[in-house]
Amino acid sequence: MPIATLSGISDFDLFLIAQGRHERLWEVLGAHVEGSGTRFAVWAPNAREVQVVGDFTGWSGVPLERLGASGVWSGHVDGAAPGHRYKFRVHGADGRWVDKADPLARATEAPPRTASVIERSVYEWGDGAWVGARRGDHHQRPMSVYEVHLGSWRPGLSYVELADQLVGYVTGLGFTHVELMPVAEHPYGGSWGYQVTGYYAPTSRFGTPDEFRYLVDRLHQAGVGVLLDWVPAHFPKDEWALARFDGTCLYEHPDTRRGEHPDWGSLVFNYGRWEVRNFLVANALYWLEEFHIDGLRVDAVASMLYLDYSRGHGQWEPNAYGGREHLEAIDLLRELNATVYRKHPGVVMIAEESTAWPGVSRPVDWGGLGFGLKWNMGWMHDTLGYVGRDPVHRAYHHDALTWPTVYAFDEQFLLPISHDEVVHGKGSLVGKMPGDRWQRLAGLRGFLAYMWAFPGKQLLFMGCELADEREWSEARGLDWSLTGEGTPDLLRDLNRVYRESPALWARDTSRDGFAWVRHDDRASNVVSFLRHADGETLACVVNFSGVPRIGHRVGLPGGGRWEEVVNTDAHAYGGSGVGNFGAVEADGAPADGQPHSAEVHVGPYAAVWLRKSG
């Protein structure tokens, strides 16, 4: 029978863990191959006894030693090798023995099996040029994001197969980034990864951690950044995972008014406990450092900020000042963002935050939460509500288009058309458009061009480019028999022109990068606006009506030739062919407060981009 012998965790490591300041926690806790065996370490301060069990013990228990008052139990087990399965057998403060998965396991069995797996990476990265070049301000760079659920993009593909097929597809469409829905291990596929049990382990559904590294590496070498959904707001109640880990509420808050989430039937982290905060902050750093991730999209931030989120009278307790702000969660988010940007200034932290909380993307030292970007949920809600109406009714809801520009520069925004907008009875993106199939496709194309020209970065969920009339389901994947009938070609051109046009991204967060030409033409369902950068201006004219606008006069800031760089009604995309023969000439007639103007032809439901250089 193997025995556990004490091995090297320094007193300084234990001190940092106790203080909640160990920024490389994964190098101390978990399973680490050393010499002829593996060192195991786990934080379980209230446990009466902790053993390790696994393939190397015949699943009988080998006791670990408690390291002083740190709450860490550790020991080296000879013969425990990479690929062996293991768990911690915890004799909890409640008197029960429970086999627990390792909270810092770096690999796991494939669900529904729940054991942790000893892992040692041998991967050699080839993305040094990419990682070196990403330093700098991402706000002044183009960013168009393709959101992907790996399990249903093309069902059955491994990380290695995705490295061939997904990389080629995304680069073909011209996106700058992919955003992967959560890949941390989760037992229930129907949660889409948002109920995490293995925070330090890429899901084994698609391969090993090194194979996930290979996917990220291939994306980087192809010039595509990788963003990852990250879920610090809650975790599931599975007995073998984090819940009541040492027989007490260790990771979760002990007060159910703060420790349970009523919407998702899950547990909420105890953000006021230093060691729990350390677990989460170190986990964010782990994905950035060990897997070269370029940014984290933090899920459900609103649920973290408010003590009364989804809770009625008597179901929540005010903070120490009598308010509803979750002060400990706010401190965690600030610590998280400040730490990430200090150590990795070239990445981006993105908040999925749906309320009017001020300063989400303001730096921490300016009193903000410190995120780099915030999802613009108001723009998404208002704009989808507008385009979902029949054109005959849109004139009465014109303000839904114009109102988002009032707050477009209050935060640093990303415009999200995410998976949440095409599930749970909301229908597909093309299905939101009114009219027959041709009209819906035309509406989809015009909407996408409007979105790509509006201030902010863009995110589009996978499959929207295929124009599937059915809403997304993770159970069946995308319908690759569809062609999108011109929409993929348009997206390819939108992304190309977008990358080439600093006017569309260099001043996304500045009011001087945007100006309305005409915002009040509600009777015609037409809007027009300008995007600016040094040495370049781009005009966007969008006809949200179902009839062509021929000779529609548009004010322009400069005279002479304006090149037509995008026309969503072009025959090439399946449109009716209304256009401007490649350019328009702006004459000296002032209009819309501009010194020049031109007559522009815009097809039904279509958008036209005109670019003036110099």
Side-chain angles (χ1 to χ4, degrees), residues 541-563:
V541 185
V542 189
N543 174 20
F544 286 104
S545 75
V547 297
R549 300 298 178 185
I550 305 299
H552 183 82
R553 186 158 288 274
V554 176
L556 295 169
R561 181 182 174 88
W562 285 71
E563 179 187 6

Side-chain angles (χ1 to χ4, degrees), residues 505-522:
W505 43 262
R507 297 182 185 173
D508 266 334
T509 62
S510 175
R511 291 189 183 275
D512 65 3
F514 172 89
W516 282 113
V517 173
R518 187 170 182 187
H519 67 278
D520 59 355
D521 191 0
R522 61 179 65 234

Side-chain angles (χ1 to χ4, degrees), residues 14-324:
L14 297 177
F15 171 77
L16 290 176
I17 291 171
Q19 295 295 311
R21 303 302 302 173
H22 205 303
E23 294 178 352
R24 302 188 68 83
L25 190 66
W26 66 92
E27 294 183 347
V28 179
L29 301 183
H32 299 272
V33 178
E34 294 180 349
S36 60
T38 297
R39 172 176 57 82
F40 297 92
V42 63
W43 177 62
N46 302 301
R48 301 177 182 180
E49 183 179 352
V50 178
Q51 303 174 356
V52 63
V53 300
D55 294 333
F56 43 89
T57 71
W59 292 89
S60 58
V62 175
L64 301 179
E65 182 173 347
R66 184 181 181 120
L67 305 183
S70 67
V72 174
W73 301 75
S74 183
H76 183 278
V77 179
D78 203 44
H84 282 162
R85 300 169 300 160
Y86 71 98
K87 280 191 175 182
F88 292 116
R89 184 162 291 164
V90 179
H91 187 195
D94 56 2
R96 300 174 63 233
W97 285 91
V98 180
D99 285 358
K100 292 283 194 177
D102 181 359
L104 277 90
R106 290 175 291 172
T108 68
E109 287 188 290
R113 294 172 295 179
T114 60
S116 304
V117 176
I118 299 172
E119 183 265 352
R120 177 170 58 182
S121 176
V122 295
Y123 190 76
E124 296 183 6
W125 289 90
D127 65 347
W130 169 271
V131 173
R134 76 182 179 187
R135 301 178 186 275
D137 187 357
H138 56 270
H139 296 112
Q140 296 182 17
R141 297 181 180 181
M143 178 184 287
S144 61
V145 185
Y146 187 69
E147 186 189 20
V148 179
H149 178 261
L150 290 178
S152 63
W153 183 73
R154 279 186 175 145
L157 297 186
S158 67
Y159 291 131
V160 172
E161 292 166 329
L162 284 161
D164 289 326
Q165 298 187 35
L166 179 62
V167 171
Y169 187 76
V170 171
T171 55
L173 288 178
F175 285 93
T176 68
H177 291 72
V178 294
E179 180 181 310
L180 305 180
M181 290 168 66
V183 300
E185 193 60 89
H186 50 283
Y188 176 49
S191 76
W192 311 331
Y194 291 99
Q195 298 229 1
V196 178
T197 50
Y199 274 82
Y200 286 76
T203 180
S204 55
R205 289 170 172 84
F206 315 121
T208 68
D210 273 357
E211 289 169 339
F212 179 63
R213 288 182 173 93
Y214 175 72
L215 170 60
V216 175
D217 200 356
R218 285 283 303 278
L219 283 161
H220 282 171
Q221 292 181 45
V224 178
V226 182
L227 310 174
L228 191 65
D229 274 14
W230 186 63
V231 190
H234 65 120
F235 60 92
K237 295 181 178 181
D238 300 77
E239 185 179 57
W240 51 270
L242 293 179
R244 295 190 62 82
F245 189 82
D246 62 359
T248 69
C249 293
L250 187 63
Y251 287 90
E252 66 270 36
H253 199 286
D255 187 335
T256 57
R257 292 174 295 179
R258 293 197 182 190
E260 294 194 12
H261 200 293
D263 284 352
W264 303 317
S266 52
L267 300 174
V268 178
F269 284 103
N270 185 353
Y271 302 116
R273 184 160 192 165
W274 292 351
E275 299 95 334
V276 174
R277 288 164 62 139
N278 194 169
F279 174 83
L280 291 170
V281 174
N283 182 244
L285 295 174
Y286 173 76
W287 290 102
L288 299 173
E289 297 185 13
E290 292 292 323
F291 296 97
H292 294 199
I293 299 300
D294 300 292
L296 300 176
R297 175 266 197 185
V298 182
D299 181 62
V301 171
S303 76
M304 301 172 65
L305 293 175
Y306 300 97
L307 293 167
D308 62 346
Y309 186 91
S310 287
R311 294 173 173 88
H313 179 71
Q315 297 178 326
W316 63 283
E317 179 187 31
N319 62 35
Y321 303 101
R324 64 191 186 112

Side-chain angles (χ1 to χ4, degrees), residues 437 441 444-445 464-468 482-488 573:
R437 176 69 173 173
L441 287 166
L444 174 62
R445 295 192 301 268
C464 290
E465 75 279 7
L466 299 177
D468 193 343
L482 298 171
T483 65
E485 300 173 67
T487 308
Y573 310 131

Side-chain angles (χ1 to χ4, degrees), residues 305-527:
L305 293 175
Y306 300 97
L307 293 167
D308 62 346
Y309 186 91
S310 287
R311 294 173 173 88
H313 179 71
Q315 297 178 326
W316 63 283
E317 179 187 31
N319 62 35
Y321 303 101
R324 64 191 186 112
E325 300 83 8
H326 196 324
L327 302 180
E328 294 84 1
I330 294 166
D331 286 344
L332 166 71
L333 292 172
R334 288 172 170 162
E335 178 187 351
L336 165 73
N337 290 319
T339 303
V340 165
Y341 280 121
R342 170 172 54 84
K343 297 182 71 68
H344 299 281
V347 306
V348 58
M349 297 294 289
I350 305 170
E352 187 229 357
E353 204 285 309
S354 56
T355 74
W357 185 280
V360 172
S361 58
R362 187 181 303 142
V364 170
D365 54 1
W366 292 4
L369 294 182
F371 286 95
L373 292 170
K374 172 182 172 174
W375 274 24
N376 194 335
M377 307 293 276
W379 173 89
M380 177 275 298
H381 179 271
D382 290 343
T383 307
L384 288 184
Y386 177 85
V387 299
R389 299 180 183 277
D390 190 279
V392 72
H393 301 300
R394 288 176 177 174
Y396 305 102
H397 300 274
H398 195 77
D399 292 347
L401 284 180
T402 59
W403 173 249
T405 60
V406 172
Y407 57 83
F409 308 101
D410 292 350
E411 298 277 2
Q412 297 169 155
F413 280 124
L414 180 147
L415 312 178
I417 301 297
S418 73
H419 64 277
D420 280 331
E421 309 318 314
V422 293
V423 292
H424 301 321
K426 295 179 181 178
S428 67
L429 183 57
V430 72
K432 299 179 192 300
M433 309 296 164
D436 59 23
R437 176 69 173 173
W438 188 93
Q439 291 172 312
R440 289 196 297 276
L441 287 166
L444 174 62
R445 295 192 301 268
F447 167 77
L448 291 173
Y450 176 72
M451 174 182 176
W452 253 246
F454 197 85
K457 312 308 182 185
Q458 307 88 29
L459 177 143
L460 186 69
F461 184 57
M462 66 178 199
C464 290
E465 75 279 7
L466 299 177
D468 193 343
E469 298 282 354
R470 300 173 299 173
E471 67 178 25
W472 172 66
S473 169
E474 87 285 347
R476 61 171 171 80
L478 302 184
D479 186 349
W480 290 100
S481 68
L482 298 171
T483 65
E485 300 173 67
T487 308
D489 294 330
L490 172 67
L491 266 176
R492 190 174 298 112
D493 288 341
L494 288 177
N495 278 322
R496 175 183 54 79
V497 177
Y498 171 74
R499 285 176 182 254
E500 296 170 353
S501 305
L504 292 174
W505 43 262
R507 297 182 185 173
D508 266 334
T509 62
S510 175
R511 291 189 183 275
D512 65 3
F514 172 89
W516 282 113
V517 173
R518 187 170 182 187
H519 67 278
D520 59 355
D521 191 0
R522 61 179 65 234
S524 298
N525 299 152
V526 177
V527 294

